[in-house]
Amino acid sequence: MLQDDIRAIFAATAEAQRRFVERHADALAQVIGVTAAALRNGRTLFFFGNGGSAADAQHLAAEFTN
């Protein structure tokens, strides 16, 4: 059933997020700290990408601008 597929997809996503934060929470906290410090000090963030990653970079830049 479609509902079972939807539940399986959501469960897999939640598990991937759990594993990521378990393994990378310290590194992510460091990146957040460096980014926040850069912005507080008037520094510039650059986002790069090619193809679909360029669209992601543009989206991130817009989020930080707005």
Side-chain angles (χ1 to χ4, degrees):
M1 297 188 85
L2 181 57
Q3 291 86 347
D4 292 336
D5 292 341
I6 292 169
R7 286 184 186 91
I9 291 167
F10 272 74
T13 299
E15 177 61 17
Q17 290 174 341
R18 187 198 62 75
R19 282 191 316 246
F20 178 88
V21 78
E22 182 179 291
R23 294 176 186 160
H24 304 293
D26 292 338
L28 185 56
Q30 285 182 311
V31 169
I32 291 167
V34 168
T35 301
L39 292 172
R40 274 194 305 273
N41 291 314
R43 305 299 298 223
T44 302
L45 296 179
F46 291 92
F47 299 95
F48 298 90
N50 185 16
S53 297
D56 290 339
Q58 290 171 336
H59 181 97
L60 282 171
E63 292 288 345
F64 276 86
T65 299
N66 296 321

